[in-house]
Amino acid sequence: MSLFFPQWRHHPRAATAATWALVALALALPFIVGQFGNAWVRTLAFALLYVMLAQGLNVVVGFAGLLDLGYIAFYAVGAYMYALLASPHLFNNFPAVAAAFPNGLHSSIWMVIPLGAALAALFGILLGAPVLKLRGDYLAIVTLGFGEIIRIFLNNLNAPLNFTNGPQGITLIDPVRVFGINFGRPLSVFGFELPSVYLYYYLFLLLAIVTLIVCARLQDSRLGRAWMAIREDDIAAKAMGINVRNVKLLAFALGATFGGVAGAMFAAFQGFVSPESFSLMESIIVLAMVVLGGIGHIPGVVLGAVLLAVFPEFLRHTVVPVQQQLFGKVLIDAEVLRMLLYGLAMVLIMLYRPKGLWPAPEHGIRPVGRTA
């Protein structure tokens, strides 16, 4: 209960009350922002996907200290896995699949989430195994190349066998179905109709909460301590008896699982996937979320993910109207201004708050007001 309020670790009632208040706010948020249109609820749903992505990258970068610039590849793996198993694409392009599944491929979410996590973990191991001895810039360059390789494969695997439909992407992806509830349609509850985007928001909220709990447990576990030891000095960690190779592989694999699950949910939410959604810029944005919020600090990473996910939509709805009112025309496009402000924010953070907006608490420092 004290995940977001570590300063109240010695006051469990206050931490519990504040945590439940946050949960209540998260549950009510769609109805609050929905007054301004469902587009804002959709933005919040994407913010929760980015929370899962950023937490997965935080395991690799924040906990283990392994700079990964190709993390979006695991997002792509999960998205295409769901797209292939829940769309007519394989059915229409491969007669053997059509013969084996005459009613089409309509995979259950109970199969998709574990499979997406397992497949992304496998790709995480495939990435981690060759780069275990690399550090710093060299590791960043190799992981960047891995992310681009996955994107280029997805862009070109439409010949001679059409697996991914190339740059055209895969469409007609089934929505999520849970206990007979179709998330692609509004749900009537006691005479009140919940739009589809609300259902996805609550599903993503549940997955994000599970992600946060798992990451918190990992951080406080023996494995988490081993990751932190490697982050500080892998030679000293090895001298202390830590199996550095296996622990690094686990960081890549476990971090990738969150990306795979988030990618599968992205495909279901969008109903369409294409290689353009998994460019290098997406990896940089997710890394910026981790750095902006606070590397290695779970609540800080949540803050960074929400800020950088909601901020572009805020700009899109304000920058253009304001410029038209002031100048009669648009001088700076919202997308250009977004990237300019991203860069400026990163510069200012590195200069004045290098540990992020909400940095991790220092170890060994007593809470205020407490004595030995």
Side-chain angles (χ1 to χ4, degrees):
M1 287 296 183
S2 57
L3 173 62
F4 283 85
F5 307 99
Q7 67 274 25
W8 293 346
R9 193 177 297 273
H10 300 282
H11 304 280
R13 290 185 178 180
T16 301
T19 301
W20 282 114
L22 274 179
V23 172
L25 176 62
L27 292 174
L29 206 53
F31 299 97
I32 298 173
V33 302
Q35 303 298 319
F36 304 98
N38 285 345
W40 287 103
V41 183
R42 185 178 180 84
T43 300
L44 292 178
F46 272 112
L48 292 172
L49 284 180
Y50 277 116
V51 167
M52 287 188 276
L53 273 176
Q55 291 297 339
L57 183 59
N58 188 47
V59 169
V60 182
V61 177
F63 293 172
L66 305 170
L67 184 55
D68 187 353
L69 291 182
Y71 186 75
I72 208 67
F74 310 122
Y75 191 47
V77 167
Y80 269 86
M81 186 267 322
Y82 183 87
L84 291 173
L85 295 180
S87 75
H89 179 75
L90 292 179
F91 183 87
N92 294 335
N93 288 279
F94 296 90
V97 175
F101 301 92
N103 296 322
L105 286 169
H106 303 285
S107 301
S108 166
I109 188 175
W110 307 113
M111 182 186 75
V112 166
I113 289 183
L115 188 58
L119 188 61
L122 175 61
F123 273 81
I125 293 172
L126 291 177
L127 167 62
V131 301
L132 290 177
K133 295 184 179 180
L134 299 179
R135 304 177 189 173
D137 299 339
Y138 301 101
L139 177 61
I141 291 171
V142 172
T143 54
L144 184 155
F146 176 80
E148 285 300 288
I149 287 171
I150 295 295
R151 184 186 64 81
I152 292 170
F153 263 99
L154 295 175
N155 205 39
N156 291 276
L157 280 180
N158 58 341
L161 297 177
N162 188 2
F163 284 102
T164 65
N165 209 29
Q168 296 178 348
I170 299 176
T171 59
L172 302 177
I173 301 173
D174 293 342
V176 170
R177 289 181 174 85
V178 179
F179 302 121
I181 300 173
N182 187 344
F183 280 53
R185 299 176 182 176
L187 176 66
S188 180
V189 180
F190 303 113
F192 183 80
E193 191 173 85
L194 284 176
S196 170
V197 68
Y198 283 51
L199 300 179
Y200 275 108
Y201 169 85
Y202 287 119
L203 174 62
F204 296 166
L205 177 63
L206 176 62
L207 291 175
I209 291 174
V210 171
T211 299
L212 294 176
I213 293 173
V214 171
C215 287
R217 299 290 290 177
L218 284 173
Q219 186 179 29
D220 294 333
S221 68
R222 292 181 63 184
L223 179 59
R225 301 299 181 190
W227 282 335
M228 294 175 193
I230 291 173
R231 179 188 64 194
E232 299 301 327
D233 191 330
D234 58 351
I235 296 177
K238 187 174 182 179
M240 293 295 292
I242 294 174
N243 190 326
V244 173
R245 178 178 63 86
N246 289 351
V247 170
K248 284 185 177 181
L249 279 179
L250 278 173
F252 279 111
L254 291 175
T257 58
F258 300 112
V261 173
M265 294 300 97
F266 168 78
F269 189 38
Q270 286 282 89
F272 167 77
V273 293
S274 72
E276 292 180 357
S277 300
F278 312 107
S279 64
L280 172 62
M281 184 52 63
E282 286 296 314
S283 281
I284 293 174
I285 289 173
V286 177
L287 180 61
M289 293 172 177
V290 176
V291 174
L292 179 69
I295 296 178
H297 192 214
I298 294 174
V301 173
V302 173
L303 175 64
V306 172
L307 285 178
L308 291 189
V310 175
F311 183 65
E313 288 301 315
F314 175 77
L315 285 180
R316 187 174 293 113
H317 286 84
T318 57
V319 168
V320 172
V322 168
Q323 291 185 82
Q324 287 177 339
Q325 288 184 359
L326 293 178
F327 310 110
K329 61 179 180 179
V330 178
L331 299 178
I332 304 177
D333 186 71
E335 181 67 18
V336 174
L337 184 60
R338 176 175 74 98
M339 298 311 300
L340 176 64
L341 293 178
Y342 272 5
L344 180 61
M346 289 297 101
V347 170
L348 294 177
I349 283 293
M350 290 299 100
L351 287 177
Y352 298 107
R353 292 188 68 88
K355 294 184 179 180
L357 294 176
W358 193 350
E362 296 288 343
H363 294 288
I365 296 180
R366 299 189 185 93
V368 177
R370 291 186 63 86
T371 59

